[in-house]
Amino acid sequence: MSAAIATPEGQAARVWKRFRRHRLALAGALVVALLLASALFAPLLAPQDPTLLDTALRFRAPFTDWRFPLGTDELGRDTLSRLLHGGRVSLTVGLVAMVTTVMTGALIGIAAGYLGGIADTLLMRFVDTMLCFPQVFLLLVVAAFVPPTLLSISLVIGLTSWMEVSRIVRAEILHLKEQDFVAAARALGASRSRIMLRELLPNAAAPILVAATLKVASAVLMESYISYLGYGVQPPLASWGNMLTNAQGYFDTVPWLAILPGAAITLTVMGFNFLGDGLRDALDPRLRMDP
Amino acid sequence: MADALLKVTGLEVHFPIRSPFLRRRTGTVRAVDGVNLEVARGETLALVGESGCGKTTTGKAILRLIDPTGGSIRFRGEEIAHHTPRQLAPFRRRMQIVFQDPYASLNPRMTVGGILAAPFEIHRIGDAKDRPGRVAALLRTVGLPPEAARRYPHEFSGGQRQRIGIARALALQPDLVIGDEPVSALDVSIQAQIINLMRRLQAELGLAYIMISHNLAVVSHVADRVAVMYLGRVVETAPREALFFDARHPYTQALLSAVPEPVPGGRRTRRVPQGDVPSPAHPPLGCHFHPRCPHAMPVCSQEAPASRIVSPGHAVACHLVPA
Ligand SMILES: Nc1ncnc2c1ncn2[C@@H]1O[C@H](COP(=O)(O)OP(=O)(O)O)[C@@H](O)[C@H]1O
Ligand code: SF4
Ligand SMILES: [Mg+2]
């Protein structure tokens, strides 16, 4: 008795259809794509060396000299080149922090949700404790012990912001683990790690993907906060955060030095947030993530 | 029964009821409250009872998917009620389950090939090279084309999914398969196909089944023996003919009278049970059936009736049956 196989439209096609209807999400995706491309090709796109000083050329205004399309800063460095290279640094921090956050949050969330009992209680108490402290405070405490490098900053941001991801993933796992496909895996004798990683994790992909997108935005923002407090990416390496920080002394006289990196950060945060919202609606209209 | 494959004695599964506030224990759901069952090699035992009486919980406890809070589960002569996961590993190959809901029982993010290869991966049977062949053979056994392996569960109908679930249950060549209402979620037109498939496989592979159902009519022609369950307890167990023609428990009699198609020659006394099924959180004292029983006597609300043998293989738990 061979049965014909029904072929309803694929899941991916349905997700894309819902995503396409979301105008802001499409715009977000475009912005994100452009930002990533410009970061990737920064060395090719930048007209100047971003670290080249020339004090004779300080504080050039944007659109006044074709060699410095967006002007120069207090040390005569080309702002456009610094924005492109700084974007590379800021987005790297954002992506590495996001990967750290999502991996930590997903593993802790899955373990707490699936194992339950004592493990769940301990892990969630740990989450609650971490959440008692503002992230900036945690960051500054760690920064006092760890010298700020690109990698350490990214990891520290990632390791202080996974808590809400773990809560989202845990909630999803609590729902999933009651389903019979998990009971089927247990009846076959599957190990707990196989059930968590092979059966449950792929089913939690949607909320994890949404959280990941939103986390890139918050990590970029966090990098600029801590730059402002002096613990961010260290000069001469440019990041949007330290460009903004350097600009604070000249804000009333040379405002574009702050406005340009500020706009880049805003654009990035908005782009990733719209993309994340669109993914959430397209993947699962029920999903909601608290800020 | 000399060669019992499975012997369940006094099985209990009590779930705590916790208050949402501080999660204090405020009560107990006696989902399974002293179940006795036996299954011989190659036979089909039907486990029948109204929705909520504890059939699924019984099945899952036998498979050790839910921890029993009491009683004994002997499988192939070995007590497994308290086995650790490691000790259970060899038993996992010998007992399997087909679930009621063909949608929730297959992982939506795995291909059918992945789902059917899992049993071999978990038990390290064969190697990666010969798994596609094994999967194709399983699919053929349940009447699906080998191309099905590349597809995802949502691309299949309910009946096809149930075939996949059956294939997974058979992958490790078990001795016992628990079918938890395997056709109740399917179209009536498909139900017979799946039942026939399961019967054919039983004949070919020498499987024993526990067929769970809330409908006596559905199991009437597949079962060798029938166990009738009410509110966490088995009230009557009998060979099929004896159950249909010589039911002794008032609850079994009531169920039979509610079967729309009378069994030919069967007794047909219109006695649909009165009232609602009580909650297993507050089961009645004594015989759980006494608030609905037309024959209830004073002793029924005080003492739980013991199971008594009325003829070979026919046991009844009712005070009406003399000791
Ligand atoms: N995990 C659980 N926690 C608390 N109560 C449960 C749980 N699982 C089942 N129950 C209760 O146990 C009783 C029996 O359920 P079940 O075994 O699913 O019955 P059936 O399969 O016969 O319909 C029901 O009252 C159900 O609400
Ligand atoms: S024990 Fe009493 S109440 Fe229970 S079924 Fe028998 S007669 Fe009815
Ligand atoms: Mg059930």
Side-chain angles (χ1 to χ4, degrees), chain B residues 278-290:
Chain B
S279 154
H282 305 282
L285 287 176
C287 172
H288 283 176
F289 189 53
H290 83 254

Side-chain angles (χ1 to χ4, degrees), chain B residues 249-251 287-290 293-297 300 305 317-320:
Chain B
H249 197 283
Y251 179 64
C287 172
H288 283 176
F289 189 53
H290 83 254
C293 180
H295 307 290
M297 306 167 280
C300 299
C318 171
H319 289 301
L320 288 178

Side-chain angles (χ1 to χ4, degrees), chain A residues 58-101:
Chain A
R58 299 169 71 206
F59 300 127
R60 286 289 155 98
F63 313 120
T64 55
D65 185 334
W66 61 268
R67 287 174 303 163
F68 311 107
L70 295 178
T72 59
D73 67 5
E74 75 282 5
L75 298 174
R77 295 172 297 193
D78 177 42
T79 304
L80 176 60
S81 303
R82 284 179 63 73
L83 273 180
L84 286 166
H85 282 272
R88 217 171 189 213
V89 168
S90 290
L91 288 172
T92 304
V93 171
L95 292 172
V96 174
M98 174 273 278
V99 169
T100 313
T101 296

Side-chain angles (χ1 to χ4, degrees), chain B residues 1 225-226 236-239 242 309-315:
Chain B
M1 214 176 305
R225 291 186 310 116
V226 180
E236 182 160 14
T237 311
I309 310 287
V310 293
S311 63
H314 189 168

Side-chain angles (χ1 to χ4, degrees), chain A residues 1 4 6 181 186 188 199 203, chain B residues 65 104 107 121 123 143 155 160:
Chain A
M1 176 174 5
F181 71 83
R186 293 211 293 132
L188 288 170
E199 304 279 346
N203 281 285
Chain B
L65 296 175
N107 187 335
E121 289 167 9
H123 290 272
E155 300 177 59
Q160 290 167 333

